[in-house]
């Protein structure tokens, strides 16, 4: 069972992205609690207690993995699509702000 730390519970910051291993464990957990692709009653609540996910995240991951669970020949991808840290790096932004030179405006 994954436990939420006190810092995660009291923090207003976003939770870190779920790793592909944890997503796979969630899919295995849910695949034991379904009938023809439909989850049994209480399966999402049980998964919410067992994994550090919200209900909407569990639904989204199950929806992506459901076809592969029902038909093993189907190819579904429920791994995370996040590429990692992207965008302008903090050092480059800070350096660009420090290079600004004040300009006096003359009123003529």
């Amino acid at each position: 069972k994954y436990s939420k730390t006190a810092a995660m519970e009291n923090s207003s910051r976003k939770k870190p992205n779920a790793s592909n291993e944890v997503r796979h464990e969630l899919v295995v957990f849910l695949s034991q609690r379904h009938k023809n692709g439909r989850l049994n009653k209480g399966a999402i609540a049980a998964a919410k207690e067992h994994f550090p996910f919200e209900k909407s995240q569990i639904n989204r991951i199950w929806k992506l993995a459901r076809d592969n669970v029902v038909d093993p020949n189907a190819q579904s991808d429920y791994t995370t699509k996040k590429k990692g840290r992207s965008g302008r790096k903090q050092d480059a932004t800070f350096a660009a702000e420090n290079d600004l030179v004040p300009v006096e405006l003359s009123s003529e």
Side-chain angles (χ1 to χ4, degrees), residues 17-26 77-81:
N17 294 328
S19 67
N20 291 334
E21 292 82 20
V22 175
R23 286 172 173 256
H24 179 71
E25 290 177 26
L26 174 67
D77 184 21
Y78 52 86
T79 59
T80 182
K81 305 295 188 282

Side-chain angles (χ1 to χ4, degrees), residues 16-58:
N17 294 328
S19 67
N20 291 334
E21 292 82 20
V22 175
R23 286 172 173 256
H24 179 71
E25 290 177 26
L26 174 67
V27 170
V28 169
F29 181 85
L30 292 175
S31 66
Q32 298 168 351
R33 292 161 176 79
H34 81 93
K35 183 175 182 181
N36 296 329
R38 255 182 93 90
L39 291 173
N40 298 335
K41 186 173 182 178
I44 291 180
K48 190 175 175 185
E49 291 293 322
H50 197 268
F51 293 94
F53 294 122
E54 297 296 323
K55 182 180 174 183
S56 61
Q57 293 172 308
I58 295 170

Side-chain angles (χ1 to χ4, degrees), residues 58-99:
I58 295 170
N59 281 331
R60 186 175 60 240
I61 294 170
W62 175 249
K63 185 178 176 183
L64 292 170
R66 176 178 47 208
D67 296 334
N68 198 23
V69 171
V70 174
D71 180 17
N73 295 328
Q75 295 295 322
S76 62
D77 184 21
Y78 52 86
T79 59
T80 182
K81 305 295 188 282
K82 299 253 180 177
K83 297 289 185 198
R85 296 179 65 178
S86 62
R88 181 177 288 174
K89 304 300 180 248
Q90 191 68 16
D91 294 336
T93 305
F94 183 72
E97 290 174 358
N98 287 339
D99 291 341

Side-chain angles (χ1 to χ4, degrees), residues 3-11:
S3 62
K4 298 177 183 175
T5 62
M8 283 177 66
E9 290 176 353
N10 297 330
S11 174

